[in-house]
Amino acid sequence: MTSLYQDSSRQRFATNTQTSSPISRPLIKRHTLNCGRLRQLPPRQRKAVKAYQRNPSKVTKIQWTHVLVALGRLGCTEELERAFTLIDKPNFYHFNALLSCYTRMGNARVAEGILERMKEAGVQPDQISYSILMQAYAKQGDVKSADRVFEEMLHAGATPDVVSYNTLITAYARKADSKKAESLKERMEKAGSNADIFTFNALTLAYVNQGDMDSAERVVDRMKWAGVKPTVQTFSTIMQGYVKLGDVRGAVRVLHSMQKVGVQPNAVSYNTLMQAYVTKENFAGAQQVLQQMLQAGLTPSVITFTTLIKAYVKGGNRKAAEIVLDRMLKAKVKPDVFTFSALMKAHVDQGDMEKAEAIITWMQRERVRPNNVTLTTLMQGYANRGDFRNAERVFAMIKKPDAITYNTLLQAYSNVPDVRGAQEVFMRMREARVTPTNTTYNVLMGLYAKYGDVLSAEEVLRDMNRCGKTRPTAVTFNKLMQAYLKNGDEVGADFVMKRMFRFFEGSGVQ
């Protein structure tokens, strides 16, 4: 197997297979390991890390495995690498632990480099090693690489187990490739391994991602014939499929089917059903789901309350959203960033910027960091007023502004209207290498249309075509026509209309 990481891994994970160098005290700082995260580690891992802190030379082979896993969980990457170099003749348990750490971090290239070092150290990878690497690629959505590792495992003489097959089946299921997933299941059964609950759940996911709900539900029947009992995850996955399709009745029917076969819905099941009602703007139905959840003895989660709050905000009922918030706080459920973002939108939609700003203060008090959605929503409130100064103030709080953020700031200047300010925002967007969207160009086009600046509006259209990632819409041409009409050029406006018809007929002629 050729690894892009192979060369660097030789330096970073050199093993002591021939000579043993003196072991010094670990570089890791004691205060780093004595934080709250260390106390959350399992007892064996915590004990192993403390032994490593005291004297690495006295750490046993078994303890080294726990040390590696613990450092990986704590995110101490540099110390993880250093600790591995201190192990005298690492065995496959140590390599597999290291593989697991980088898989959890989502770094498949590094994981593959470790597998190569494993071979060079004379340690033969087993099916667990290959399965871990497959998981690393599957986690990144790289199905081809995961498949390649699977074939290499077979070539190396390692026998895949049901976990190996399920890892690959799930990877294809996420890509909505039910044909390949089914093929792997058949291959697994011919090799002597029986499909388990994870296999069938993966197949269910594959069909749901394809939108083939009939086949997804038939998987449940196949499970019964195979003697495998469906779980709440099986039914919840099917429910999510119906939610995506906007089929509330289908989701309700699956919930009832779940209960008939003795599988009790959990919070995820009810949250999924609630989302189905919210999608259809059936807020009364969403409220009923909450009542059903309480009657079932389940405690609503932050997702439950936030989903309901979003529903009322979407329906323009801020008062109902605040009532749900009050229930949430009384239930001692802490709001998260999504809850706060929904509340922010409620206040912004009502034009109440004082309460919108208070949300930021509340988040700081609760130590919840605002995300782009939260701050962009706040910006939108000021943009609606044409208050570009406050919009700029909020913009400065965003670490990595995206196209939506820039578009919102652009809208703030457009609503003043301030052509020069809008042009500067557009240039800042380009300098930050953020690709303009249709909204970006349409806002600029609308601004030039207000002043009848036909030349600038035409330049926006040309730039839009040159971009390659945007395409003029009916809104774009309408704003261009407005520019000509504002300038008193009815002939030019009529010509723009003809250009628009030719464009949408497929010629693309400007």
Side-chain angles (χ1 to χ4, degrees):
M1 184 187 298
T2 303
S3 171
L4 295 174
Y5 185 79
Q6 189 170 345
D7 294 336
S8 59
S9 68
R10 291 177 182 175
Q11 298 175 1
R12 295 170 67 184
F13 297 105
T15 56
N16 303 323
T17 55
Q18 296 179 348
T19 59
S20 179
S21 59
I23 298 179
S24 59
R25 291 188 64 80
L27 294 174
I28 196 160
K29 296 181 180 180
R30 186 174 294 273
H31 73 267
T32 301
L33 289 179
N34 284 340
C35 65
R37 290 186 301 164
L38 177 60
R39 291 192 293 271
Q40 294 174 1
L41 291 173
R44 289 184 180 180
Q45 291 180 20
R46 189 164 60 246
K47 182 178 179 181
V49 170
K50 288 182 178 179
Y52 171 66
Q53 275 190 292
R54 288 193 297 270
N55 190 347
S57 64
K58 292 185 178 180
V59 177
T60 66
K61 289 280 188 180
I62 295 177
Q63 284 182 321
W64 274 121
T65 303
H66 294 309
V67 168
L68 295 174
V69 174
L71 293 176
R73 285 186 174 181
L74 293 172
C76 304
T77 309
E78 292 182 5
E79 191 62 27
L80 172 66
E81 296 169 0
R82 181 178 180 275
F84 187 79
T85 64
L86 297 179
I87 304 174
D88 182 32
K89 297 180 180 180
N91 57 34
F92 69 90
Y93 291 111
H94 302 135
F95 278 106
N96 285 347
L98 199 59
L99 277 167
S100 295
C101 289
Y102 281 99
T103 294
R104 189 180 296 112
M105 295 176 192
N107 199 330
R109 286 187 177 182
V110 176
E112 186 155 355
I114 293 167
L115 191 72
E116 293 300 319
R117 289 296 301 142
M118 189 175 184
K119 296 175 183 177
E120 292 175 7
V123 180
Q124 185 62 37
D126 59 2
Q127 78 273 12
I128 297 176
S129 311
Y130 287 107
S131 295
I132 294 171
L133 183 55
M134 285 167 59
Q135 289 172 6
Y137 280 115
K139 189 175 182 179
Q140 292 182 352
D142 189 349
V143 182
K144 289 184 178 179
S145 294
D147 207 335
R148 172 177 56 79
V149 174
F150 180 78
E151 294 300 330
E152 182 178 337
M153 173 170 43
L154 295 173
H155 183 72
T159 304
D161 57 10
V162 67
V163 175
S164 309
Y165 280 105
N166 284 343
T167 299
L168 197 54
I169 290 172
T170 303
Y172 278 106
R174 288 171 180 163
K175 293 292 183 179
D177 192 343
S178 61
K179 186 176 180 180
K180 185 66 177 180
E182 289 281 11
S183 175
L184 283 165
K185 174 183 173 293
E186 291 179 9
R187 188 174 177 180
M188 176 178 70
E189 291 172 336
K190 287 180 180 178
S193 297
N194 293 324
D196 60 10
I197 182 61
F198 299 103
T199 313
F200 285 110
N201 281 349
L203 292 177
T204 304
L205 177 64
Y207 287 115
V208 164
N209 286 341
Q210 282 185 193
D212 187 353
M213 301 309 299
D214 289 337
S215 295
E217 292 204 50
R218 279 197 292 269
V219 172
V220 177
D221 295 327
R222 292 165 59 186
M223 292 173 74
K224 295 175 183 177
W225 299 334
V228 178
K229 184 178 180 180
T231 63
V232 66
Q233 182 182 345
T234 312
F235 290 103
S236 293
T237 300
I238 298 174
M239 287 178 65
Q240 288 167 4
Y242 281 114
V243 171
K244 289 180 182 177
L245 296 174
D247 188 346
V248 178
R249 289 183 179 179
V252 172
R253 180 171 50 76
V254 173
L255 184 72
H256 292 160
S257 299
M258 185 189 322
Q259 294 170 325
K260 286 180 181 179
V261 297
V263 178
Q264 293 302 315
N266 60 10
V268 175
S269 310
Y270 285 107
N271 289 342
T272 302
L273 183 58
M274 183 179 288
Q275 186 61 53
Y277 281 109
V278 171
T279 303
K280 287 294 184 179
E281 297 188 5
N282 186 340
F283 308 129
Q287 185 67 44
Q288 287 177 0
V289 173
L290 177 61
Q291 295 303 322
Q292 292 174 17
M293 191 175 183
L294 294 171
Q295 290 172 4
L298 295 172
T299 302
S301 65
V302 62
I303 297 176
T304 312
F305 286 112
T306 301
T307 300
L308 200 53
I309 288 173
K310 285 182 178 179
Y312 285 119
V313 170
K314 186 177 180 181
N317 193 341
R318 183 174 66 166
K319 186 176 180 180
E322 290 177 342
I323 291 173
V324 175
L325 175 66
D326 186 58
R327 291 184 64 178
M328 182 179 185
L329 297 175
K330 287 181 179 178
K332 296 183 179 180
V333 177
K334 184 179 178 181
D336 62 8
V337 66
F338 302 103
T339 316
F340 286 116
S341 296
L343 293 171
M344 176 75 74
K345 188 176 187 309
H347 296 312
V348 166
D349 288 347
Q350 295 288 328
D352 192 341
M353 299 308 298
E354 184 177 347
K355 285 191 175 181
E357 287 282 0
I359 293 293
I360 298 296
T361 305
W362 187 5
M363 293 180 76
Q364 292 171 344
R365 189 168 62 247
E366 295 292 334
R367 297 183 179 180
V368 177
R369 181 177 295 177
N371 60 15
N372 274 25
V373 175
T374 316
L375 295 173
T376 302
T377 302
L378 183 59
M379 280 180 62
Q380 186 64 60
Y382 288 116
N384 293 341
R385 296 180 170 190
D387 186 351
F388 64 87
R389 290 186 178 83
N390 273 314
E392 286 279 13
R393 174 179 59 81
V394 178
F395 181 87
M397 297 167 64
I398 301 175
K399 291 185 177 181
K400 293 182 179 181
D402 56 14
I404 297 175
T405 313
Y406 277 104
N407 290 343
T408 305
L409 186 58
L410 196 64
Q411 188 68 57
Y413 282 98
S414 176
N415 287 342
V416 174
D418 184 344
V419 176
R420 181 174 294 180
Q423 289 173 333
E424 289 178 357
V425 171
F426 184 72
M427 294 305 298
R428 286 157 59 185
M429 188 177 188
R430 282 290 181 82
E431 290 171 0
R433 295 184 178 181
V434 176
T435 305
T437 65
N438 274 18
T439 302
T440 312
Y441 289 111
N442 287 340
V443 171
L444 278 175
M445 185 79 79
L447 184 57
Y448 291 130
K450 289 179 182 179
Y451 291 97
D453 189 346
V454 174
L455 294 177
S456 295
E458 287 282 5
E459 179 58 32
V460 169
L461 183 62
R462 285 192 289 272
D463 193 37
M464 193 175 189
N465 285 320
R466 286 194 298 265
C467 179
K469 294 185 178 181
T470 55
R471 177 182 171 84
T473 64
V475 174
T476 312
F477 285 106
N478 287 336
K479 289 184 181 296
L480 183 57
M481 280 190 283
Q482 290 171 14
Y484 277 97
L485 290 173
K486 183 72 175 180
N487 203 35
D489 188 351
E490 294 183 4
V491 175
D494 186 59
F495 183 62
V496 170
M497 182 174 291
K498 293 177 181 178
R499 291 161 61 189
M500 178 175 66
F501 287 140
R502 288 201 303 270
F503 183 83
F504 288 115
E505 284 173 359
S507 65
V509 177
Q510 296 300 305

